Amino acid sequence: MDRKIRVLVGKPGLDGHDRGAKVIARAYRDAGMEVIYSGLHRTPEELARMAVEEDVDVVACSILSGAHSTLLPRVVDCLKKEKGAGELDVLVLAGGIIPVEDVESLKESGIDAVFGPGTNTQDIVEYTRANLKR
Amino acid sequence: MYLHESAGNQVAESIIQGFRTRKRAALARAVTLVENGSIHAQDILEETFKHRGRSRVLGITGSPGVGKSTLVDSLITAIREHGNSVGVIAVDPSSPFTGGAILGDRVRVRSRTTDDQVFFRSLASRGHLGGVSRHTGDIITLFDAFGFDYVLVETVGTGQSEVDIMRYAHSVLVVMAPGLGDDIQAIKAGILEIGDVFCVNKADHPDADRAVSVLEAMLELNRDWKWRPPVIKTVASQGKGVVELFGKINMHLEFLEQNNLLEERVSRSHIASLEENIKRETVDRIFARSHSDGTLDRALKQLSEGKTHPAALARQLIQLYLCSEK
Ligand code: B12
Ligand SMILES: Nc1nc2c(ncn2[C@@H]2O[C@H](COP(=O)(O)OP(=O)(O)OP(=O)(O)O)[C@@H](O)[C@H]2O)c(=O)[nH]1
Ligand SMILES: [Mg+2]
């Protein structure tokens, strides 16, 4: 079976910074993965619906607007609602401008890992590969 | 490998059950399994094939950037306003170097993302030429069985006539845009023959009328159309002309039905799927077997030493691995 890793690169909320998202998308593509880019200004509900329809292994949210603590937990909640009962089988990652003091509570709300400015994209790719949930 | 790959035919059963209750996650997973050539794909396709027949399949093709995805967005709106449901399959190219892909059609398809009567799936071409992925026929079957009224298939932007979509779709929409030199290319590439409906998008561009008249003049050269393809101007980014376009698409579908031509197209799509499956199976098998018993390595060595050539080798391998099978 020719298994391809599929990733949704999502831009939640009113945030026009898309460089990071595009850098991440390219890094995943260059690692042989199939990346669905959501485009800007998506709601958590929309991102969750996309994740289901595209049957992705990873939801990767890029957010630099400062609204991460409201939007990201909602992405996780919407994913759980869309996916129904049981453990989430998608890895949920976030990156962008997210202060360290917010990371712990994001993790409690179901974000698996957070990556800030300057992260080496190779590290992100390796982390992703090693932590897939299915 | 999926964890549930080991769970026997429970996987197929739960997906088929999911189709009955219209669970979108079931359709989504079914597409993945078919795309990946999973062992469960056969069971799922066998069952879903029995329930096909509802969907009208519209192929949407044209050069890169002409506005196919933007049109898909407004067609979704038109279809929903008619009270119908729609599934979309959008194909983008895979990188020939890494096998990865960035599938960006969703960027332009912004409305109705969370509408329960709309389903959107992006596919990578995975090395298949011809504008669609090699599983397109089977994936259309899945969408059809799920019960959409319309299935839209956006091809990779090619602008060439050798797009496979015409083999799978009931109706083919060819999208052009002024200012891309498209009118001259169109004639060369024979794209006129594959369109059932033509759309000159970006009609907010001053050259649009000229593009329309060039296209009309070309179509006039052929006098014995059974169906004369209409040419519609649209501004997809503003939704202009899309209701009319949708009307013409439906007229073409009605024309097919009234003249008993739909069956012909359906059977053409079956042949296309059959052919794809035969190709895939034989290629996969021959490579797998010749690889595992070392024949492939030896063959490649002979090739590089110039002792044989690919055509002769191909025939040998087919003889060796296929003709000996009972
Ligand atoms: C370039 C930039 C802009 C450009 C954006 C161009 C574009 N198309 O992206 C422009 C000029 C348009 C802009 C505008 C604004 N900006 Co600005 N901008 C920046 C700047 C200088 C760099 C951002 C960038 O592109 N970095 C390069 C990319 C590659 O890095 P990155 O996004 O961080 O991504 C890396 C990691 O974070 C991680 N990553 C990112 N996403 C993800 C996702 C996943 C899943 C993973 C695993 C990893 C990951 O990997 C990447 C590679 O290492 C930052 C400051 C800074 N140093 O970060 C401010 C900054 C982000 N902007 C800021 C602000 C306030 C604005 C404006 C509101 C300013 C204004 N008042 O008008 C507007 C808002 C625009 C909008 N519509 O949202 C603030 C945000 C403050 C906050 N969040 O609290 C910042 C932090 C500046 C600051 N110090 O105040 N901005
Ligand atoms: N001016 C104008 N721009 C349009 C129109 N329709 C689409 N566009 C723009 O054209 C660009 C390409 O549109 P897409 O819908 O992505 O084109 P596409 O054919 O799907 O592109 P590929 O999938 O990459 O082949 C986008 O910037 C759109 O906003 C239109 O009617 N007028
Ligand atoms: Mg497109």
Side-chain angles (χ1 to χ4, degrees):
Chain A
M1 186 164 118
D2 181 19
R3 165 94 153 85
K4 278 273 176 208
I5 298 168
R6 287 170 65 89
V7 184
L8 173 68
V9 170
K11 284 290 307 172
L14 297 174
D15 174 12
H17 297 92
D18 61 0
R19 283 193 201 164
K22 287 180 172 163
V23 167
I24 296 304
R26 240 171 281 138
Y28 281 134
R29 178 199 62 191
D30 293 345
M33 304 182 192
E34 291 180 353
V35 181
I36 296 93
Y37 179 45
S38 73
L40 295 173
H41 308 318
R42 293 298 194 166
T43 64
E45 288 77 7
E46 288 179 323
L47 293 175
R49 181 58 68 88
M50 289 181 193
V52 170
E53 292 180 352
E54 301 287 356
D55 196 21
V56 292
D57 306 284
V58 185
V59 173
C61 294
S62 178
I63 181 161
L64 290 80
S65 66
H68 45 270
S69 293
T70 35
L71 289 172
L72 295 180
R74 267 178 58 204
V75 170
V76 177
D77 288 346
C78 291
L79 269 172
K80 284 182 178 156
K81 217 187 286 163
E82 287 274 344
K83 287 258 178 185
E87 277 288 293
L88 261 194
D89 62 353
V90 279
L91 180 67
V92 188
L93 305 178
I97 303 293
I98 298 173
V100 273
E101 56 268 31
D102 294 345
V103 171
E104 214 35 58
S105 74
L106 286 177
K107 286 193 173 166
E108 272 160 32
S109 70
I111 303 294
D112 292 296
V114 177
F115 298 87
T119 315
N120 185 316
T121 53
Q122 205 47 47
D123 295 342
I124 296 173
V125 167
E126 268 158 34
Y127 178 91
T128 304
R129 274 229 180 82
N131 289 279
L132 294 174
K133 295 192 177 172
R134 61 179 212 211
Chain B
M1 186 124 145
Y2 285 96
L3 297 176
H4 54 239
E5 184 86 353
S6 54
N9 58 10
Q10 273 172 359
V11 175
E13 264 164 38
S14 90
I15 283 175
I16 290 160
Q17 185 55 37
F19 267 63
R20 290 196 191 105
T21 54
R22 283 184 63 85
K23 257 184 75 193
R24 61 186 53 237
L27 173 56
R29 184 58 50 87
V31 173
T32 306
L33 295 173
V34 166
E35 258 204 308
N36 288 348
S38 152
I39 51 168
H40 305 300
Q42 287 304 327
D43 291 341
I44 295 168
L45 285 169
E46 193 174 308
E47 183 60 27
T48 50
F49 196 74
K50 297 178 196 154
H51 301 284
R52 76 195 189 283
R54 180 190 182 97
S55 304
R56 292 296 163 259
V57 182
L58 174 67
I60 301 170
T61 191
S63 301
V66 290
K68 297 180 292 297
S69 300
T70 317
L71 268 173
V72 165
D73 183 65
S74 30
L75 281 171
I76 290 173
T77 304
I79 290 169
R80 291 296 296 127
E81 278 169 3
H82 258 243
N84 289 319
S85 60
V86 54
V88 181
I89 300 167
V91 192
D92 272 328
S94 298
S95 156
F97 304 106
T98 66
I102 294 182
L103 311 173
D105 292 317
R106 276 189 179 270
V107 173
R108 303 281 164 218
V109 182
R110 302 207 55 96
S111 42
R112 311 222 179 222
T113 308
T114 55
D115 186 331
D116 285 335
Q117 301 302 315
V118 178
F119 187 105
F120 190 108
R121 178 65 174 245
S122 314
L123 297 182
S125 63
R126 298 195 179 177
H128 185 86
L129 303 173
V132 290
S133 98
R134 61 181 191 167
H135 297 278
T136 302
D138 290 337
I139 292 172
I140 291 172
T141 298
L142 296 176
F143 272 63
D144 190 349
F146 200 77
F148 296 112
D149 298 312
Y150 290 86
V151 174
L152 311 185
V153 185
E154 177 186 337
T155 72
V156 174
T158 62
Q160 303 297 312
S161 60
E162 54 269 26
V163 276
D164 285 343
I165 190 55
M166 56 169 299
R167 309 176 69 202
Y168 294 108
H170 302 149
S171 190
V172 174
L173 173 65
V174 173
V175 187
M176 300 185 175
L180 285 176
D182 245 359
D183 37 18
I184 299 155
Q185 265 175 10
I187 301 157
K188 271 200 210 150
I191 207 157
L192 289 177
E193 277 97 79
I194 74 165
D196 298 305
V197 177
F198 287 87
C199 165
V200 174
N201 188 39
K202 307 200 184 184
D204 49 340
H205 192 285
D207 286 347
D209 286 325
R210 209 182 65 83
V212 171
S213 46
V214 170
L215 195 51
E216 290 281 11
M218 291 306 303
L219 291 169
E220 273 316 303
L221 291 178
N222 183 346
R223 296 245 160 236
D224 38 52
W225 292 106
K226 273 187 254 161
W227 161 264
R228 161 67 156 83
V231 181
I232 310 295
K233 273 198 294 186
T234 58
V235 184
S237 48
Q238 298 164 26
K240 278 190 196 155
V242 175
V243 170
E244 198 195 346
L245 177 65
F246 184 51
K248 294 291 184 195
I249 291 162
N250 283 326
M251 270 174 66
H252 178 245
L253 291 167
E254 273 161 36
F255 164 83
L256 291 178
E257 266 174 80
Q258 278 162 11
N259 295 280
N260 299 320
L261 294 167
L262 195 61
E263 263 318 301
E264 213 173 88
R265 300 231 170 178
V266 169
S267 111
R268 186 170 76 183
S269 75
H270 291 163
I271 293 170
S273 287
L274 180 63
E275 191 185 312
E276 270 314 317
N277 276 290
I278 291 175
K279 276 191 208 163
R280 190 162 66 225
E281 283 275 314
T282 41
V283 170
D284 288 355
R285 272 194 209 185
I286 289 177
F287 273 100
R289 295 196 182 184
S290 61
H291 177 70
S292 66
D293 68 11
T295 307
L296 186 62
D297 274 348
R298 284 194 298 278
L300 290 175
K301 195 157 165 280
Q302 285 186 317
L303 276 180
S304 62
E305 287 166 357
K307 287 186 183 145
T308 179
H309 57 91
L313 247 183
R315 235 170 287 134
Q316 262 175 19
L317 292 178
I318 289 169
Q319 191 73 33
L320 185 60
Y321 294 103
L322 291 182
C323 299
S324 58
E325 277 179 26
K326 280 279 135 22

